[in-house]
Amino acid sequence: MQIDLNADAGESFGNWTLGRDEELFPLISSVNVACGFHAGDPLTIKRTLELARQTGVAVGAHPGFPDLVGFGRREMAATPEEVYADVLYQVGALWAFLKAAQMPLHHIKAHGALYNRATKDPGTARAIAEAARDFDPQIPLVVLPNTPLEAEAQKLGLRTVAEAFPERGYASDGRLAPRGTPGAWIHSPELAAHRAVQMVVEGRVEAVDGGWVEVRAQTLCIHGDNPNAVGIARAVREALEAEGIGIQTY
């Protein structure tokens, strides 16, 4: 058995630094690189790809809403046409740096509020999926299972990769608990590691509002902006490997 371990990264901007990418990359197998709309800038992208090459980490595009101030976590009144254009633009920007570095684009994964909206709104989901298809229909799209994003991507014939979040709380409906609500964030590396094993081995996880949620996961995400991201990634990796589960890209 094997599982991909991904993390959001490249989220610094100018002289402002976020995350500990140098420590995080050796612990994961794939990375979602900010493309400049919610975080990141051209030089940060370039340096993030250099680090990914050095550590052997696969690189994916992480497009979000054009919201640097809110880190892409605020809802925006973007139409499906705007979402399509924004996603295609951002993937293309990252691809230019990948092409210059002679590195492949491994996957596409929406960020923050854009990702969350696509788990509820079919129009947004289809716009993201259409942008991914029109860029390259062979590149996988990372999705939250059993949501419009997964359904719309599969309708277009895209390969989808089911994602789970060991350091984020789940509501009983299978969606992520809203940020700022009790249990939405898991800060304990030990608890996150326990949840990761549950997700991969048992296919389930405890919900913040009681009971169990079924989980289907091909990749597990560690948020790079979590203050304990490095400790969580290390604990998750060690716990999975102790169960005989290899860390490998899909």
Side-chain angles (χ1 to χ4, degrees), residues 205-238:
V205 70
E206 288 187 84
V208 295
D209 46 355
W212 294 86
V213 176
E214 291 187 6
V215 173
R216 178 160 44 88
Q218 296 164 276
T219 184
L220 301 178
C221 176
I222 306 297
H223 285 89
D225 61 320
N226 188 323
N228 292 340
V230 173
I232 288 172
R234 181 176 293 109
V236 166
R237 183 176 187 122
E238 290 175 353

PDB file of all heavy atoms in Angstrom, residues 205-238:
ATOM      1  N   VAL A 205     -12.697   8.660   9.378  1.00  0.00           N
ATOM      2  CA  VAL A 205     -12.127   9.557  10.371  1.00  0.00           C
ATOM      3  C   VAL A 205     -13.265  10.092  11.226  1.00  0.00           C
ATOM      4  O   VAL A 205     -14.416  10.175  10.767  1.00  0.00           O
ATOM      5  CB  VAL A 205     -11.349  10.716   9.692  1.00  0.00           C
ATOM      6  CG1 VAL A 205     -12.298  11.685   8.987  1.00  0.00           C
ATOM      7  CG2 VAL A 205     -10.470  11.453  10.680  1.00  0.00           C
ATOM      8  N   GLU A 206     -12.957  10.440  12.470  1.00  0.00           N
ATOM      9  CA  GLU A 206     -13.978  10.984  13.356  1.00  0.00           C
ATOM     10  C   GLU A 206     -14.369  12.399  12.927  1.00  0.00           C
ATOM     11  O   GLU A 206     -13.516  13.215  12.602  1.00  0.00           O
ATOM     12  CB  GLU A 206     -13.480  11.002  14.795  1.00  0.00           C
ATOM     13  CG  GLU A 206     -13.383   9.633  15.448  1.00  0.00           C
ATOM     14  CD  GLU A 206     -13.046   9.720  16.921  1.00  0.00           C
ATOM     15  OE1 GLU A 206     -13.985   9.916  17.728  1.00  0.00           O
ATOM     16  OE2 GLU A 206     -11.862   9.606  17.239  1.00  0.00           O
ATOM     17  N   ALA A 207     -15.669  12.682  12.964  1.00  0.00           N
ATOM     18  CA  ALA A 207     -16.180  14.010  12.628  1.00  0.00           C
ATOM     19  C   ALA A 207     -16.183  14.902  13.862  1.00  0.00           C
ATOM     20  O   ALA A 207     -16.298  14.417  14.996  1.00  0.00           O
ATOM     21  CB  ALA A 207     -17.591  13.913  12.072  1.00  0.00           C
ATOM     22  N   VAL A 208     -16.059  16.207  13.664  1.00  0.00           N
ATOM     23  CA  VAL A 208     -16.031  17.141  14.790  1.00  0.00           C
ATOM     24  C   VAL A 208     -17.380  17.187  15.500  1.00  0.00           C
ATOM     25  O   VAL A 208     -17.452  17.526  16.690  1.00  0.00           O
ATOM     26  CB  VAL A 208     -15.629  18.556  14.326  1.00  0.00           C
ATOM     27  CG1 VAL A 208     -14.209  18.570  13.795  1.00  0.00           C
ATOM     28  CG2 VAL A 208     -16.603  19.095  13.292  1.00  0.00           C
ATOM     29  N   ASP A 209     -18.468  16.856  14.779  1.00  0.00           N
ATOM     30  CA  ASP A 209     -19.794  16.898  15.377  1.00  0.00           C
ATOM     31  C   ASP A 209     -20.323  15.511  15.723  1.00  0.00           C
ATOM     32  O   ASP A 209     -21.513  15.288  15.870  1.00  0.00           O
ATOM     33  CB  ASP A 209     -20.784  17.629  14.467  1.00  0.00           C
ATOM     34  CG  ASP A 209     -20.696  17.200  13.009  1.00  0.00           C
ATOM     35  OD1 ASP A 209     -19.798  16.404  12.677  1.00  0.00           O
ATOM     36  OD2 ASP A 209     -21.523  17.667  12.211  1.00  0.00           O
ATOM     37  N   GLY A 210     -19.385  14.569  15.866  1.00  0.00           N
ATOM     38  CA  GLY A 210     -19.749  13.229  16.310  1.00  0.00           C
ATOM     39  C   GLY A 210     -19.872  12.232  15.180  1.00  0.00           C
ATOM     40  O   GLY A 210     -20.159  12.583  14.042  1.00  0.00           O
ATOM     41  N   GLY A 211     -19.610  10.978  15.500  1.00  0.00           N
ATOM     42  CA  GLY A 211     -19.719   9.922  14.510  1.00  0.00           C
ATOM     43  C   GLY A 211     -18.485   9.814  13.641  1.00  0.00           C
ATOM     44  O   GLY A 211     -17.430  10.403  13.927  1.00  0.00           O
ATOM     45  N   TRP A 212     -18.628   9.048  12.562  1.00  0.00           N
ATOM     46  CA  TRP A 212     -17.512   8.788  11.666  1.00  0.00           C
ATOM     47  C   TRP A 212     -17.865   9.226  10.250  1.00  0.00           C
ATOM     48  O   TRP A 212     -19.017   9.183   9.841  1.00  0.00           O
ATOM     49  CB  TRP A 212     -17.166   7.294  11.662  1.00  0.00           C
ATOM     50  CG  TRP A 212     -16.632   6.810  12.977  1.00  0.00           C
ATOM     51  CD1 TRP A 212     -17.337   6.383  14.055  1.00  0.00           C
ATOM     52  CD2 TRP A 212     -15.250   6.732  13.335  1.00  0.00           C
ATOM     53  NE1 TRP A 212     -16.498   6.037  15.081  1.00  0.00           N
ATOM     54  CE2 TRP A 212     -15.203   6.232  14.671  1.00  0.00           C
ATOM     55  CE3 TRP A 212     -14.056   7.011  12.682  1.00  0.00           C
ATOM     56  CZ2 TRP A 212     -14.013   6.016  15.348  1.00  0.00           C
ATOM     57  CZ3 TRP A 212     -12.864   6.801  13.357  1.00  0.00           C
ATOM     58  CH2 TRP A 212     -12.839   6.314  14.674  1.00  0.00           C
ATOM     59  N   VAL A 213     -16.837   9.639   9.536  1.00  0.00           N
ATOM     60  CA  VAL A 213     -16.982  10.041   8.138  1.00  0.00           C
ATOM     61  C   VAL A 213     -16.157   9.092   7.276  1.00  0.00           C
ATOM     62  O   VAL A 213     -14.987   8.827   7.584  1.00  0.00           O
ATOM     63  CB  VAL A 213     -16.491  11.486   7.917  1.00  0.00           C
ATOM     64  CG1 VAL A 213     -16.543  11.861   6.441  1.00  0.00           C
ATOM     65  CG2 VAL A 213     -17.310  12.457   8.745  1.00  0.00           C
ATOM     66  N   GLU A 214     -16.755   8.565   6.226  1.00  0.00           N
ATOM     67  CA  GLU A 214     -15.993   7.742   5.281  1.00  0.00           C
ATOM     68  C   GLU A 214     -15.039   8.624   4.494  1.00  0.00           C
ATOM     69  O   GLU A 214     -15.403   9.713   4.047  1.00  0.00           O
ATOM     70  CB  GLU A 214     -16.936   7.005   4.336  1.00  0.00           C
ATOM     71  CG  GLU A 214     -17.766   5.924   5.002  1.00  0.00           C
ATOM     72  CD  GLU A 214     -18.556   5.114   4.000  1.00  0.00           C
ATOM     73  OE1 GLU A 214     -18.367   5.319   2.779  1.00  0.00           O
ATOM     74  OE2 GLU A 214     -19.362   4.273   4.436  1.00  0.00           O
ATOM     75  N   VAL A 215     -13.815   8.153   4.321  1.00  0.00           N
ATOM     76  CA  VAL A 215     -12.774   8.923   3.635  1.00  0.00           C
ATOM     77  C   VAL A 215     -12.169   8.065   2.529  1.00  0.00           C
ATOM     78  O   VAL A 215     -11.841   6.898   2.749  1.00  0.00           O
ATOM     79  CB  VAL A 215     -11.666   9.360   4.621  1.00  0.00           C
ATOM     80  CG1 VAL A 215     -10.509  10.008   3.872  1.00  0.00           C
ATOM     81  CG2 VAL A 215     -12.236  10.326   5.648  1.00  0.00           C
ATOM     82  N   ARG A 216     -12.055   8.640   1.359  1.00  0.00           N
ATOM     83  CA  ARG A 216     -11.383   7.986   0.235  1.00  0.00           C
ATOM     84  C   ARG A 216     -10.176   8.843  -0.122  1.00  0.00           C
ATOM     85  O   ARG A 216     -10.324  10.000  -0.487  1.00  0.00           O
ATOM     86  CB  ARG A 216     -12.357   7.865  -0.938  1.00  0.00           C
ATOM     87  CG  ARG A 216     -11.801   7.259  -2.187  1.00  0.00           C
ATOM     88  CD  ARG A 216     -12.931   6.746  -3.084  1.00  0.00           C
ATOM     89  NE  ARG A 216     -14.043   7.675  -3.200  1.00  0.00           N
ATOM     90  CZ  ARG A 216     -14.126   8.640  -4.111  1.00  0.00           C
ATOM     91  NH1 ARG A 216     -13.148   8.821  -4.984  1.00  0.00           N
ATOM     92  NH2 ARG A 216     -15.181   9.435  -4.182  1.00  0.00           N
ATOM     93  N   ALA A 217      -8.986   8.292   0.019  1.00  0.00           N
ATOM     94  CA  ALA A 217      -7.791   9.125  -0.123  1.00  0.00           C
ATOM     95  C   ALA A 217      -6.718   8.462  -0.969  1.00  0.00           C
ATOM     96  O   ALA A 217      -6.334   7.325  -0.724  1.00  0.00           O
ATOM     97  CB  ALA A 217      -7.217   9.461   1.246  1.00  0.00           C
ATOM     98  N   GLN A 218      -6.252   9.205  -1.967  1.00  0.00           N
ATOM     99  CA  GLN A 218      -5.048   8.838  -2.717  1.00  0.00           C
ATOM    100  C   GLN A 218      -3.890   9.764  -2.364  1.00  0.00           C
ATOM    101  O   GLN A 218      -2.742   9.466  -2.665  1.00  0.00           O
ATOM    102  CB  GLN A 218      -5.327   8.913  -4.213  1.00  0.00           C
ATOM    103  CG  GLN A 218      -6.377   7.931  -4.705  1.00  0.00           C
ATOM    104  CD  GLN A 218      -6.901   8.293  -6.077  1.00  0.00           C
ATOM    105  OE1 GLN A 218      -7.802   9.105  -6.220  1.00  0.00           O
ATOM    106  NE2 GLN A 218      -6.319   7.692  -7.103  1.00  0.00           N
ATOM    107  N   THR A 219      -4.221  10.891  -1.742  1.00  0.00           N
ATOM    108  CA  THR A 219      -3.208  11.834  -1.292  1.00  0.00           C
ATOM    109  C   THR A 219      -3.688  12.495  -0.013  1.00  0.00           C
ATOM    110  O   THR A 219      -4.887  12.709   0.170  1.00  0.00           O
ATOM    111  CB  THR A 219      -2.904  12.902  -2.374  1.00  0.00           C
ATOM    112  OG1 THR A 219      -1.846  13.756  -1.920  1.00  0.00           O
ATOM    113  CG2 THR A 219      -4.122  13.744  -2.705  1.00  0.00           C
ATOM    114  N   LEU A 220      -2.746  12.767   0.891  1.00  0.00           N
ATOM    115  CA  LEU A 220      -3.039  13.457   2.140  1.00  0.00           C
ATOM    116  C   LEU A 220      -2.368  14.827   2.109  1.00  0.00           C
ATOM    117  O   LEU A 220      -1.211  14.945   1.706  1.00  0.00           O
ATOM    118  CB  LEU A 220      -2.509  12.666   3.339  1.00  0.00           C
ATOM    119  CG  LEU A 220      -3.043  11.250   3.533  1.00  0.00           C
ATOM    120  CD1 LEU A 220      -2.370  10.609   4.752  1.00  0.00           C
ATOM    121  CD2 LEU A 220      -4.557  11.243   3.702  1.00  0.00           C
ATOM    122  N   CYS A 221      -3.092  15.845   2.549  1.00  0.00           N
ATOM    123  CA  CYS A 221      -2.573  17.217   2.479  1.00  0.00           C
ATOM    124  C   CYS A 221      -2.134  17.724   3.848  1.00  0.00           C
ATOM    125  O   CYS A 221      -2.835  17.551   4.848  1.00  0.00           O
ATOM    126  CB  CYS A 221      -3.645  18.150   1.918  1.00  0.00           C
ATOM    127  SG  CYS A 221      -3.149  19.897   1.910  1.00  0.00           S
ATOM    128  N   ILE A 222      -0.981  18.375   3.860  1.00  0.00           N
ATOM    129  CA  ILE A 222      -0.501  19.131   5.021  1.00  0.00           C
ATOM    130  C   ILE A 222      -0.443  20.594   4.596  1.00  0.00           C
ATOM    131  O   ILE A 222       0.237  20.936   3.629  1.00  0.00           O
ATOM    132  CB  ILE A 222       0.907  18.666   5.463  1.00  0.00           C
ATOM    133  CG1 ILE A 222       0.942  17.153   5.700  1.00  0.00           C
ATOM    134  CG2 ILE A 222       1.342  19.437   6.699  1.00  0.00           C
ATOM    135  CD1 ILE A 222       0.050  16.665   6.804  1.00  0.00           C
ATOM    136  N   HIS A 223      -1.149  21.464   5.305  1.00  0.00           N
ATOM    137  CA  HIS A 223      -1.137  22.884   4.952  1.00  0.00           C
ATOM    138  C   HIS A 223       0.177  23.524   5.388  1.00  0.00           C
ATOM    139  O   HIS A 223       0.524  23.476   6.574  1.00  0.00           O
ATOM    140  CB  HIS A 223      -2.309  23.606   5.607  1.00  0.00           C
ATOM    141  CG  HIS A 223      -3.621  23.322   4.956  1.00  0.00           C
ATOM    142  ND1 HIS A 223      -4.420  22.264   5.335  1.00  0.00           N
ATOM    143  CD2 HIS A 223      -4.257  23.934   3.921  1.00  0.00           C
ATOM    144  CE1 HIS A 223      -5.507  22.258   4.578  1.00  0.00           C
ATOM    145  NE2 HIS A 223      -5.438  23.249   3.718  1.00  0.00           N
ATOM    146  N   GLY A 224       0.868  24.124   4.443  1.00  0.00           N
ATOM    147  CA  GLY A 224       2.156  24.731   4.739  1.00  0.00           C
ATOM    148  C   GLY A 224       2.066  25.896   5.701  1.00  0.00           C
ATOM    149  O   GLY A 224       3.054  26.233   6.367  1.00  0.00           O
ATOM    150  N   ASP A 225       0.880  26.537   5.793  1.00  0.00           N
ATOM    151  CA  ASP A 225       0.741  27.668   6.700  1.00  0.00           C
ATOM    152  C   ASP A 225       0.332  27.245   8.108  1.00  0.00           C
ATOM    153  O   ASP A 225       0.173  28.091   8.988  1.00  0.00           O
ATOM    154  CB  ASP A 225      -0.255  28.689   6.145  1.00  0.00           C
ATOM    155  CG  ASP A 225      -1.659  28.117   5.970  1.00  0.00           C
ATOM    156  OD1 ASP A 225      -1.773  26.956   5.537  1.00  0.00           O
ATOM    157  OD2 ASP A 225      -2.634  28.840   6.233  1.00  0.00           O
ATOM    158  N   ASN A 226       0.156  25.943   8.329  1.00  0.00           N
ATOM    159  CA  ASN A 226      -0.061  25.454   9.692  1.00  0.00           C
ATOM    160  C   ASN A 226       1.248  25.630  10.463  1.00  0.00           C
ATOM    161  O   ASN A 226       2.304  25.160  10.017  1.00  0.00           O
ATOM    162  CB  ASN A 226      -0.459  23.974   9.653  1.00  0.00           C
ATOM    163  CG  ASN A 226      -0.882  23.437  11.009  1.00  0.00           C
ATOM    164  OD1 ASN A 226      -0.330  23.786  12.044  1.00  0.00           O
ATOM    165  ND2 ASN A 226      -1.869  22.550  11.003  1.00  0.00           N
ATOM    166  N   PRO A 227       1.236  26.302  11.606  1.00  0.00           N
ATOM    167  CA  PRO A 227       2.483  26.524  12.349  1.00  0.00           C
ATOM    168  C   PRO A 227       3.231  25.228  12.683  1.00  0.00           C
ATOM    169  O   PRO A 227       4.448  25.240  12.834  1.00  0.00           O
ATOM    170  CB  PRO A 227       2.018  27.239  13.618  1.00  0.00           C
ATOM    171  CG  PRO A 227       0.727  27.886  13.246  1.00  0.00           C
ATOM    172  CD  PRO A 227       0.085  26.951  12.270  1.00  0.00           C
ATOM    173  N   ASN A 228       2.508  24.125  12.792  1.00  0.00           N
ATOM    174  CA  ASN A 228       3.126  22.837  13.120  1.00  0.00           C
ATOM    175  C   ASN A 228       3.292  21.945  11.893  1.00  0.00           C
ATOM    176  O   ASN A 228       3.421  20.727  12.034  1.00  0.00           O
ATOM    177  CB  ASN A 228       2.278  22.100  14.166  1.00  0.00           C
ATOM    178  CG  ASN A 228       2.286  22.779  15.516  1.00  0.00           C
ATOM    179  OD1 ASN A 228       3.178  23.571  15.805  1.00  0.00           O
ATOM    180  ND2 ASN A 228       1.296  22.502  16.333  1.00  0.00           N
ATOM    181  N   ALA A 229       3.317  22.536  10.697  1.00  0.00           N
ATOM    182  CA  ALA A 229       3.320  21.745   9.465  1.00  0.00           C
ATOM    183  C   ALA A 229       4.473  20.746   9.406  1.00  0.00           C
ATOM    184  O   ALA A 229       4.285  19.581   9.027  1.00  0.00           O
ATOM    185  CB  ALA A 229       3.371  22.672   8.251  1.00  0.00           C
ATOM    186  N   VAL A 230       5.661  21.168   9.770  1.00  0.00           N
ATOM    187  CA  VAL A 230       6.819  20.278   9.671  1.00  0.00           C
ATOM    188  C   VAL A 230       6.686  19.122  10.651  1.00  0.00           C
ATOM    189  O   VAL A 230       6.896  17.947  10.289  1.00  0.00           O
ATOM    190  CB  VAL A 230       8.133  21.054   9.911  1.00  0.00           C
ATOM    191  CG1 VAL A 230       9.318  20.093   9.979  1.00  0.00           C
ATOM    192  CG2 VAL A 230       8.351  22.084   8.798  1.00  0.00           C
ATOM    193  N   GLY A 231       6.334  19.419  11.897  1.00  0.00           N
ATOM    194  CA  GLY A 231       6.150  18.361  12.883  1.00  0.00           C
ATOM    195  C   GLY A 231       5.034  17.418  12.504  1.00  0.00           C
ATOM    196  O   GLY A 231       5.147  16.195  12.684  1.00  0.00           O
ATOM    197  N   ILE A 232       3.954  17.951  11.947  1.00  0.00           N
ATOM    198  CA  ILE A 232       2.839  17.115  11.524  1.00  0.00           C
ATOM    199  C   ILE A 232       3.245  16.220  10.364  1.00  0.00           C
ATOM    200  O   ILE A 232       2.968  15.014  10.364  1.00  0.00           O
ATOM    201  CB  ILE A 232       1.623  17.990  11.150  1.00  0.00           C
ATOM    202  CG1 ILE A 232       1.009  18.584  12.418  1.00  0.00           C
ATOM    203  CG2 ILE A 232       0.585  17.183  10.379  1.00  0.00           C
ATOM    204  CD1 ILE A 232      -0.078  19.612  12.156  1.00  0.00           C
ATOM    205  N   ALA A 233       3.922  16.785   9.376  1.00  0.00           N
ATOM    206  CA  ALA A 233       4.349  15.992   8.228  1.00  0.00           C
ATOM    207  C   ALA A 233       5.285  14.864   8.653  1.00  0.00           C
ATOM    208  O   ALA A 233       5.170  13.729   8.167  1.00  0.00           O
ATOM    209  CB  ALA A 233       5.039  16.885   7.193  1.00  0.00           C
ATOM    210  N   ARG A 234       6.197  15.166   9.566  1.00  0.00           N
ATOM    211  CA  ARG A 234       7.132  14.138  10.042  1.00  0.00           C
ATOM    212  C   ARG A 234       6.384  13.033  10.784  1.00  0.00           C
ATOM    213  O   ARG A 234       6.620  11.832  10.558  1.00  0.00           O
ATOM    214  CB  ARG A 234       8.192  14.767  10.936  1.00  0.00           C
ATOM    215  CG  ARG A 234       9.238  13.762  11.458  1.00  0.00           C
ATOM    216  CD  ARG A 234      10.317  14.439  12.255  1.00  0.00           C
ATOM    217  NE  ARG A 234      11.146  15.314  11.433  1.00  0.00           N
ATOM    218  CZ  ARG A 234      11.131  16.646  11.499  1.00  0.00           C
ATOM    219  NH1 ARG A 234      10.318  17.264  12.355  1.00  0.00           N
ATOM    220  NH2 ARG A 234      11.903  17.371  10.723  1.00  0.00           N
ATOM    221  N   ALA A 235       5.474  13.412  11.663  1.00  0.00           N
ATOM    222  CA  ALA A 235       4.718  12.421  12.436  1.00  0.00           C
ATOM    223  C   ALA A 235       3.824  11.581  11.533  1.00  0.00           C
ATOM    224  O   ALA A 235       3.714  10.359  11.709  1.00  0.00           O
ATOM    225  CB  ALA A 235       3.887  13.125  13.502  1.00  0.00           C
ATOM    226  N   VAL A 236       3.177  12.221  10.572  1.00  0.00           N
ATOM    227  CA  VAL A 236       2.304  11.497   9.639  1.00  0.00           C
ATOM    228  C   VAL A 236       3.111  10.504   8.825  1.00  0.00           C
ATOM    229  O   VAL A 236       2.724   9.337   8.686  1.00  0.00           O
ATOM    230  CB  VAL A 236       1.556  12.491   8.722  1.00  0.00           C
ATOM    231  CG1 VAL A 236       0.928  11.764   7.542  1.00  0.00           C
ATOM    232  CG2 VAL A 236       0.487  13.244   9.506  1.00  0.00           C
ATOM    233  N   ARG A 237       4.235  10.949   8.305  1.00  0.00           N
ATOM    234  CA  ARG A 237       5.067  10.059   7.497  1.00  0.00           C
ATOM    235  C   ARG A 237       5.548   8.860   8.318  1.00  0.00           C
ATOM    236  O   ARG A 237       5.480   7.709   7.863  1.00  0.00           O
ATOM    237  CB  ARG A 237       6.252  10.817   6.917  1.00  0.00           C
ATOM    238  CG  ARG A 237       7.121   9.947   6.011  1.00  0.00           C
ATOM    239  CD  ARG A 237       8.251  10.700   5.346  1.00  0.00           C
ATOM    240  NE  ARG A 237       8.894   9.820   4.378  1.00  0.00           N
ATOM    241  CZ  ARG A 237       9.013  10.070   3.090  1.00  0.00           C
ATOM    242  NH1 ARG A 237       8.513  11.179   2.570  1.00  0.00           N
ATOM    243  NH2 ARG A 237       9.613   9.214   2.283  1.00  0.00           N
ATOM    244  N   GLU A 238       6.047   9.125   9.508  1.00  0.00           N
ATOM    245  CA  GLU A 238       6.560   8.038  10.356  1.00  0.00           C
ATOM    246  C   GLU A 238       5.455   7.059  10.727  1.00  0.00           C
ATOM    247  O   GLU A 238       5.678   5.835  10.721  1.00  0.00           O
ATOM    248  CB  GLU A 238       7.204   8.625  11.610  1.00  0.00           C
ATOM    249  CG  GLU A 238       8.512   9.360  11.334  1.00  0.00           C
ATOM    250  CD  GLU A 238       9.079  10.033  12.567  1.00  0.00           C
ATOM    251  OE1 GLU A 238       8.381  10.050  13.620  1.00  0.00           O
ATOM    252  OE2 GLU A 238      10.218  10.559  12.502  1.00  0.00           O
TER     253      GLU A 238
END
